[in-house]
Amino acid sequence: MSADASSALEPEETRAKREAHVAEQERQFRETLEYCPAGLLVVDEDGRLLFHNARLRQLLGYERTELELFDTRRFWHDLEQRTRIIDILRERGGQLLNQEVVWKTKQGQPLHLLISYVQVAYRGGHTSFVGGKRVVWVYDVTALKQREAQVAEQERQFREILHYCPAALVVVDDEGRLLFHNARLRQLFGYREEELELFDTRELWHDLEQRSRIIEALREQGGQLLDQEVVWRTKGGELVHGLMSYVQVAYQGGHVSFAGGKRLAWLYDVTALKRADEARRRSERRLVDAIETISEGFACYDAEDRLVICNTCYRDLLYASADFAPTAGTSFEVVIRQAAERGAIKDAEGRVEEWVAERLHQHRHPGPARVQQRGDGRWVMISERRTEDGGTVAVYSDISELKQREASLSEKTVALETLSSKLAKYLAPQVYKSIFTGRQDVRIASQRKKLTVCFSDIADFTETADKLESEDLTHLLNQYLTEMSRIAAEYGATIDKYVGDAIVMFFGDPETRGVKEDALACVKMALAMQKRIAQLALLWRDAGIAMPLRCRIGIHTGYCTVGNFGSEDRMDYTIIGGGVNLASRLEHEAAPGSVLISFETYAHVKDEVHCEEQGQFHVKGLAYPVATYRVVDLRTNLAAPSQALRAELPHLRLEADPGLMSADERRRAAAALREAADRLMHVSEHAADLH
């Protein structure tokens, strides 16, 4: 019975159920196609779209209505590729799977797809599904392509990183032949890339035995060996110090997949570091040798006050006879405490803790160099300073011999000062100063200079001396000379000599203020001396010397010869010449209690000193008479009103200053003077009557 007949015999209800079941299956089938994750296309002979699913619209960005009988050629980015695919389909009978193509979305963005043609009708077949001629499945592989591109770029970057890595990369096979390397390896060893293809890396090793030991260690340890110091050779035979690390090997069943290698190693060039390290060691050796050869003790402590380095001299200075010697790492406090407790420090005796605290403070706050006395009698000078890193360097100098010399020199200096102070009594202060400061040599030499020469003596001193005992005479003379010398020094005079009661002085050498100023100073000195003599006369009268002492002074300004005269063994600093003789004659011609000067001196002082002309006298050796002047006083003193009354006679002494008296005192003084005058007149008249 035919199917149609069977269908006709089916009950109406059964047929309806079967048709409903088929319709449901077709609905489910279409829904499955609609939401399939791959895009589905059914096209006719002209490439127009007869059927598609939701995935296709989602991929390409179209609405359903836009795709009705849509010309699928508009999807293709490369129509030539479409033509080639259709030709292949016709040749192969309509089956073509997993073709990579590029389509365009509605917005024109490229979309990478994987398409498969599973049925066509070019060889008499027929696609009954919605009447289509080609069925195409479309899979979006854009993300996959992007990931592949990313992986490819990462691989390219990875290879570039390896290629230009600062460390050399080596991948070798079991025989040690080079399978892969980077540019750094070629740069380090001077080879070209083609020279290193399957290169026997044993030729790079300077020590093949070391290579064998490393390979054995790799086998024993399972393929991991890091930071091995090796020495390789360049193409030119130069040695390269390297730090080598084997990060993976295959001796225990493993496998290095990179380039098919069996051993992978990184080599870091440490030649410069090795050279720098060797240079550092040489510098340290030189430093040690240098500080060892210096005669002073040297020590360096770090920021934590621990000994870094010191020399033998430092140890000997601290612990010459002890069994303790400071070594690197010993703290400074331990070092000084050991020295203090062993009696090596004089200042620490009986006060170790206090001294240690003081010494630590000095060490941490260095200042000027300090001197330290050691227990064995030696002296050490300690100079410390801080370093940039917070440490301390110190130099210890043995100055024991210097201290001994200093003590000896101090004793000699005291003796010399005592001697020089004694010698100073025999020299004028100016001469003494010029000799001891080095301005004047102690040698026979003289020069012509214009000086102001002054002679002074005590009038009638011989008569006075005959009336005094030698002790009283000595006291009087010494007092007189002392007072006059003090005044001479005050005005800057150079005292040439003492001749009994006479004093020879001059101005203008070894120091001068100018001829005019020297002459004026000399005259002012003479006036001060006469004033002081008058004061001393009162004291001497009270001491029993009835005859008052009066001084004569002569002054002349002229050229003299001044300098050292005598022999190499005995010299005298003095002046000679006609000017000296003239000053001496002026002193003899002066009246007691007066100052007599020559015209040459008068010409220099007349503006400030009032003088009275005394006439002329002849001097032996001079063809012309000498004009003389008596010094009265300074013009400033004469201009000021003076009320003081003074009179000095052999049997009369009068001193009165009315300006200092009260009115009653002046009346009584006047009455006393009148009474004295009356008595003197009466005595005079009586004496006249007797004669």
Side-chain angles (χ1 to χ4, degrees):
M1 184 179 295
S2 65
D4 292 336
S6 300
S7 177
L9 295 176
E10 281 184 329
E12 185 65 27
E13 183 180 352
T14 301
R15 186 169 61 252
K17 288 182 179 180
R18 182 171 55 81
E19 289 177 356
H21 178 70
V22 171
E24 177 60 23
Q25 287 181 338
E26 183 176 352
R27 186 194 64 78
Q28 293 179 0
F29 173 70
R30 284 180 175 272
E31 189 171 291
T32 300
L33 293 178
E34 179 74 10
Y35 296 103
C36 177
L40 175 62
L41 295 86
V42 179
V43 298
D44 60 13
E45 285 285 359
D46 295 323
R48 289 178 298 182
L49 190 59
L50 301 178
F51 179 82
H52 68 278
N53 63 357
R55 180 57 176 164
L56 183 71
R57 296 192 299 273
Q58 181 184 2
L59 286 175
L60 299 178
Y62 288 93
E63 298 294 335
R64 180 189 296 272
T65 57
E66 292 178 302
L67 294 180
E68 289 182 5
L69 294 177
F70 189 87
D71 188 353
T72 57
R73 285 176 294 187
R74 293 168 58 186
F75 293 154
W76 289 80
H77 179 71
D78 184 0
L79 288 174
E80 292 183 359
Q81 184 185 28
R82 175 180 180 276
T83 302
R84 290 193 299 272
I85 289 176
I86 292 174
D87 291 339
I88 294 173
L89 284 170
R90 288 170 177 165
E91 292 174 2
R92 296 183 180 180
Q95 190 80 5
L96 191 63
L97 305 178
N98 300 332
Q99 290 295 302
E100 291 187 12
V101 298
V102 180
W103 283 11
K104 295 180 296 185
T105 66
K106 181 180 178 180
Q107 289 77 23
Q109 297 176 347
L111 190 66
H112 293 269
L113 302 172
L114 199 65
I115 65 175
S116 295
Y117 294 86
V118 296
Q119 182 183 9
V120 292
Y122 296 116
R123 292 187 178 179
H126 180 70
T127 302
S128 64
F129 184 68
V130 297
K133 296 297 182 180
R134 286 194 300 275
V135 177
V136 185
W137 289 97
V138 178
Y139 306 91
D140 182 12
V141 293
T142 302
L144 180 61
K145 294 296 289 186
Q146 290 175 347
R147 187 162 57 251
E148 288 178 354
Q150 184 179 9
V151 170
E153 176 61 19
Q154 289 176 344
E155 183 176 354
R156 185 195 65 79
Q157 292 178 2
F158 172 70
R159 286 184 174 272
E160 190 168 295
I161 289 171
L162 293 179
H163 197 63
Y164 296 103
C165 178
L169 175 61
V170 178
V171 179
V172 298
D173 60 16
D174 280 331
E175 303 299 327
R177 289 176 300 183
L178 192 60
L179 300 179
F180 179 84
H181 68 279
N182 61 357
R184 181 58 175 160
L185 184 75
R186 299 193 297 274
Q187 179 186 2
L188 282 177
F189 296 97
Y191 288 94
R192 297 191 306 275
E193 187 171 3
E194 58 271 17
E195 291 180 301
L196 294 179
E197 291 182 5
L198 293 177
F199 185 84
D200 189 351
T201 55
R202 285 176 292 190
E203 295 184 21
L204 296 174
W205 287 80
H206 178 67
D207 184 358
L208 287 173
E209 292 185 1
Q210 184 188 27
R211 175 182 181 273
S212 299
R213 291 193 298 271
I214 288 176
I215 292 175
E216 289 300 323
L218 285 168
R219 289 171 177 164
E220 292 174 1
Q221 297 179 14
Q224 190 81 0
L225 194 62
L226 305 178
D227 300 335
Q228 294 295 301
E229 291 191 15
V230 298
V231 180
W232 281 14
R233 292 191 304 256
T234 66
K235 183 179 179 180
E238 297 178 359
L239 300 183
V240 175
H241 293 269
L243 200 63
M244 199 167 193
S245 294
Y246 293 88
V247 294
Q248 184 181 9
V249 292
Y251 296 117
Q252 293 186 355
H255 180 68
V256 179
S257 61
F258 185 72
K262 295 298 183 182
R263 285 196 301 276
L264 186 150
W266 291 95
L267 180 70
Y268 304 88
D269 180 16
V270 295
T271 305
L273 292 177
K274 293 290 288 186
R275 291 173 181 169
D277 188 55
E278 183 61 30
R280 179 186 58 79
R281 286 196 293 268
R282 286 197 301 269
S283 297
E284 289 179 352
R285 287 195 298 269
R286 289 171 183 166
L287 176 62
V288 171
D289 293 341
I291 68 172
E292 193 63 36
T293 56
I294 61 178
S295 58
E296 287 85 4
F298 176 86
C300 177
Y301 287 84
D302 61 20
E304 297 180 354
D305 271 348
R306 297 192 176 277
L307 182 63
V308 177
I309 189 173
C310 68
N311 60 359
T312 303
C313 184
Y314 173 72
R315 298 186 182 95
D316 292 343
L317 282 175
L318 289 176
Y319 309 102
S321 58
D323 55 357
F324 174 79
T327 57
T330 307
S331 72
F332 179 76
E333 183 176 356
V334 170
V335 172
I336 61 174
R337 185 177 295 279
Q338 287 287 337
E341 291 176 350
R342 293 167 186 265
I345 310 298
K346 187 72 174 177
D347 190 40
E349 294 178 357
R351 52 187 295 270
V352 172
E353 294 299 329
E354 183 180 353
W355 180 85
V356 168
E358 293 173 357
R359 184 68 186 90
L360 282 174
H361 179 76
Q362 295 170 354
H363 175 75
R364 291 164 183 167
H365 303 85
R370 296 178 298 277
V371 176
Q372 186 183 89
Q373 186 177 8
R374 315 298 291 187
D376 56 4
R378 290 183 298 172
W379 291 85
V380 176
M381 183 172 68
I382 305 173
S383 301
E384 294 177 307
R385 70 174 182 84
R386 303 290 282 182
T387 60
E388 291 184 357
D389 60 356
T392 306
V393 293
V395 175
Y396 292 70
S397 303
D398 189 347
I399 59 170
S400 302
E401 184 177 353
L402 181 62
K403 292 291 286 186
Q404 293 171 359
R405 291 180 180 177
E406 182 181 315
S408 176
L409 181 61
S410 178
E411 294 176 359
K412 293 179 180 178
T413 301
V414 172
L416 182 61
E417 289 176 351
T418 303
L419 178 60
S420 64
S421 64
K422 293 178 180 179
L423 290 175
K425 305 294 184 181
Y426 294 90
L427 297 172
Q430 299 91 332
V431 178
Y432 172 82
K433 182 179 179 181
S434 64
I435 291 175
F436 276 83
T437 58
R439 287 186 296 164
Q440 180 171 312
D441 292 334
V442 183
R443 59 186 177 87
I444 298 176
S446 60
Q447 58 180 328
R448 291 271 292 170
K449 293 185 70 174
K450 199 167 191 178
L451 307 176
T452 297
V453 184
C454 176
F455 275 74
S456 75
D457 73 347
I458 299 175
D460 301 323
F461 182 72
T462 303
E463 181 182 351
T464 302
D466 291 341
K467 296 179 181 180
L468 295 177
E469 296 295 333
S470 60
E471 292 82 0
D472 293 336
L473 179 63
T474 300
H475 174 73
L476 182 146
L477 184 60
N478 287 339
Q479 186 180 16
Y480 164 74
L481 294 177
T482 298
E483 291 292 333
M484 297 303 104
S485 298
R486 179 185 60 79
I487 295 172
E490 180 180 342
Y491 284 88
T494 300
I495 299 177
D496 183 9
K497 61 176 70 68
Y498 301 108
V499 184
D501 63 312
I503 307 174
V504 181
M505 300 161 284
F506 59 90
F507 287 78
D509 194 80
E511 298 175 354
T512 180
R513 290 167 284 187
V515 176
K516 181 179 180 68
E517 293 298 324
D518 288 341
L520 185 60
C522 184
V523 172
K524 289 181 177 179
M525 176 194 72
L527 290 173
M529 286 180 171
Q530 291 291 17
K531 182 178 181 181
R532 184 57 180 159
I533 282 289
Q535 295 171 348
L536 291 174
L538 299 177
L539 298 177
W540 291 333
R541 181 183 292 275
D542 294 339
I545 301 174
M547 182 176 291
L549 299 182
R550 288 180 292 178
C551 180
R552 300 178 300 186
I553 299 177
I555 300 173
H556 171 66
T557 301
Y559 280 98
C560 305
T561 301
V562 60
N564 295 321
F565 297 88
S567 67
E568 293 292 339
D569 298 326
R570 177 73 166 83
M571 297 181 193
D572 189 14
Y573 177 78
T574 187
I575 53 175
I576 60 174
V580 181
N581 297 332
L582 180 54
S584 177
R585 286 296 306 276
L586 289 171
E587 179 257 322
H588 284 294
E589 294 295 329
S594 67
V595 178
L596 195 64
I597 65 176
S598 67
F599 175 78
E600 287 80 359
T601 302
Y602 171 74
H604 292 296
V605 303
K606 63 182 179 179
D607 294 335
E608 296 189 39
V609 180
H610 177 64
C611 301
E612 294 179 352
E613 188 174 356
Q614 296 296 300
Q616 299 179 345
F617 72 95
H618 289 276
V619 178
K620 184 180 180 180
L622 293 179
Y624 55 87
V626 176
T628 61
Y629 295 82
R630 182 178 70 86
V631 176
V632 178
D633 204 348
L634 297 177
R635 294 187 182 277
T636 55
N637 293 337
L638 295 174
S642 175
Q643 297 179 341
L645 302 175
R646 290 184 178 84
E648 185 73 28
L649 297 174
H651 300 288
L652 173 65
R653 184 180 67 181
L654 174 63
E655 280 194 10
D657 192 345
L660 300 178
M661 294 180 180
S662 64
D664 182 60
E665 287 178 331
R666 283 194 293 271
R667 284 193 298 270
R668 285 187 291 167
L673 289 173
R674 282 193 295 269
E675 182 181 355
D678 292 341
R679 289 185 179 183
L680 287 174
M681 291 298 294
H682 178 73
V683 171
S684 297
E685 291 174 355
H686 180 67
D689 292 339
L690 291 176
H691 291 290

